[in-house]
Amino acid sequence: MKKAKLILGGGSAFGLAHIGVIKALTAQYEITGVVGTSMGAIVGGCFACSISPAEMLEMALDVSTIEIFNPLTLDFSRRGVFDGKAIYRLFEEWTKKRMIEDTDIPYIAVAYDLHRQITILIDKGPCAAAMRASSSLPFVFAPQEMGDYLMIDGSVAHPVPLAFADKVPGEITIAVNVLPLASADAEFYKPNTKKGKDKLNRYEVLLNSLMQNQSFMAIQSIVNNKPDIIINANHPDLGFYDLKKAEEFYDFGYKAAKKAMGEYSEPDFAAKLRGNYEKLLERIVNRH
């Protein structure tokens, strides 16, 4: 088997597709290192601890949203809606309190430090703390304090952390993007009196706004860092808040990975796909 390093992007519930992607990839590749951000760091941390895709799917199905977003875990420091202690305990349970230094393959979680205002690559310490730091979604969860670091979701700077692929071993680089592709389209405002179809709550407004910016950054990362294989595993019919639909994300991720592996065996496919990304990025940058 060829040895591959796996780069897992963020995307809230979209990131559950990573589980199905890993199921498909491990049939053809030996994963020798993983770099993940946000949900990619959660799934990647579990994988580095030798938790199988089947076990990860079962854990995802067992998680209760009331357990994560429990009114008893409100953040009274006012740095987030929830203090994140419940999800931290969950990560400890999943990883059996393992240290990153003792994982079965090299693992890096990508977070962002508000004090230093730079990205932090967490490659040591408790897996649970790294997973919690990397997935500390601003406003929703309080930042994760680690010494003098104040960590938030790594996706704010690196939604697909390809820039750090060289920090883990592997013969080829496989990147997984679960975000919707940023649109290069624009249109002029048309005055009307219609009411919108959907009412978004504050959480959805925030996530929608973050995802749009991160989608653009993900394309930049793919164009600039040129992975050997790109897997686009964004489920078009589900949303970033559909945490209870883990099985649907899993199935979609599995099929997306199988499709991508088949396509990359075709002559010139990789070059053509990268060319499409470059054209999309150019259109977004130059739109007016």
Side-chain angles (χ1 to χ4, degrees):
M1 278 189 176
K2 187 169 282 190
K3 296 180 178 180
K5 57 185 75 174
L6 191 55
I7 313 302
L8 302 178
S12 195
F14 286 126
L16 292 169
H18 288 315
I19 304 172
V21 168
I22 289 174
K23 172 67 176 175
L25 289 179
T26 49
Q28 293 193 34
Y29 297 95
E30 178 188 352
I31 307 301
T32 53
V34 59
V35 180
T37 191
S38 197
M39 186 64 86
I42 296 172
V43 174
C46 289
F47 181 70
C49 290
S50 292
I51 299 173
S52 71
E55 291 171 317
M56 280 191 262
L57 177 58
E58 186 176 346
M59 292 187 309
L61 291 170
D62 285 343
V63 172
S64 168
T65 50
I66 192 63
E67 181 180 3
I68 300 173
F69 306 112
N70 192 322
L72 297 178
T73 62
L74 292 175
D75 179 39
F76 293 104
S77 73
R78 295 187 176 182
R79 291 188 295 190
V81 177
F82 301 98
D83 60 22
K85 291 178 181 178
I87 200 166
Y88 184 88
R89 289 192 294 270
L90 200 60
F91 294 157
E92 283 190 318
E93 179 186 331
W94 289 350
T95 61
K96 297 180 171 57
K97 298 186 178 181
R98 290 180 69 172
M99 304 292 282
I100 295 176
E101 296 89 330
D102 300 324
T103 54
D104 299 303
I105 60 171
Y107 163 66
I108 294 174
V110 179
Y112 187 86
D113 177 37
L114 291 176
H115 287 157
R116 293 166 178 78
Q117 296 187 344
I118 58 171
T119 291
I120 304 297
L121 308 181
I122 308 175
D123 64 347
K124 57 184 66 70
C127 289
M131 293 156 70
R132 163 73 174 90
S134 183
S135 59
S136 296
L137 190 65
F139 177 78
V140 179
F141 291 110
Q144 171 76 356
E145 294 186 64
M146 298 172 68
D148 69 341
Y149 294 92
L150 191 64
M151 307 282 209
I152 62 170
D153 196 305
S155 288
V156 300
H158 290 279
V160 180
L162 273 163
F164 315 113
D166 63 342
K167 306 303 180 187
V168 295
E171 298 171 335
I172 66 169
T173 300
I174 301 176
V176 187
N177 178 29
V178 297
L179 293 167
L181 288 180
S183 174
D185 298 329
E187 64 178 42
F188 284 102
Y189 164 68
K190 301 181 182 71
N192 65 77
T193 58
K194 294 179 182 178
K195 296 294 183 182
K197 294 180 181 179
D198 301 313
K199 292 183 178 179
L200 302 178
N201 60 38
R202 286 179 295 177
Y203 174 65
E204 292 167 335
V205 168
L206 173 72
L207 276 184
N208 269 300
S209 303
L210 285 174
M211 293 288 175
Q212 289 302 311
N213 186 56
Q214 289 173 11
S215 295
F216 170 66
M217 293 166 65
I219 294 172
Q220 284 183 307
S221 180
I222 291 167
V223 169
N224 293 337
N225 295 286
K226 299 178 174 59
D228 296 289
I229 297 178
I230 307 161
I231 300 173
N232 290 306
N234 170 260
H235 199 307
D237 301 321
L238 297 179
F240 49 74
Y241 44 80
D242 286 324
L243 291 167
K244 296 309 295 178
K245 297 183 179 179
E247 202 153 16
E248 292 177 53
F249 283 115
Y250 173 90
D251 290 340
F252 188 87
Y254 180 82
K255 292 173 183 175
K258 294 282 284 186
K259 181 174 182 288
M261 287 189 288
E263 289 174 336
Y264 271 86
S265 65
E266 299 174 8
D268 300 325
F269 177 80
K272 290 177 182 176
L273 183 61
R274 279 194 289 269
N276 290 338
Y277 269 102
E278 289 169 0
K279 290 176 184 176
L280 176 59
L281 181 60
E282 185 178 354
R283 285 181 62 203
I284 294 172
V285 171
N286 294 329
R287 69 185 176 186
H288 52 80

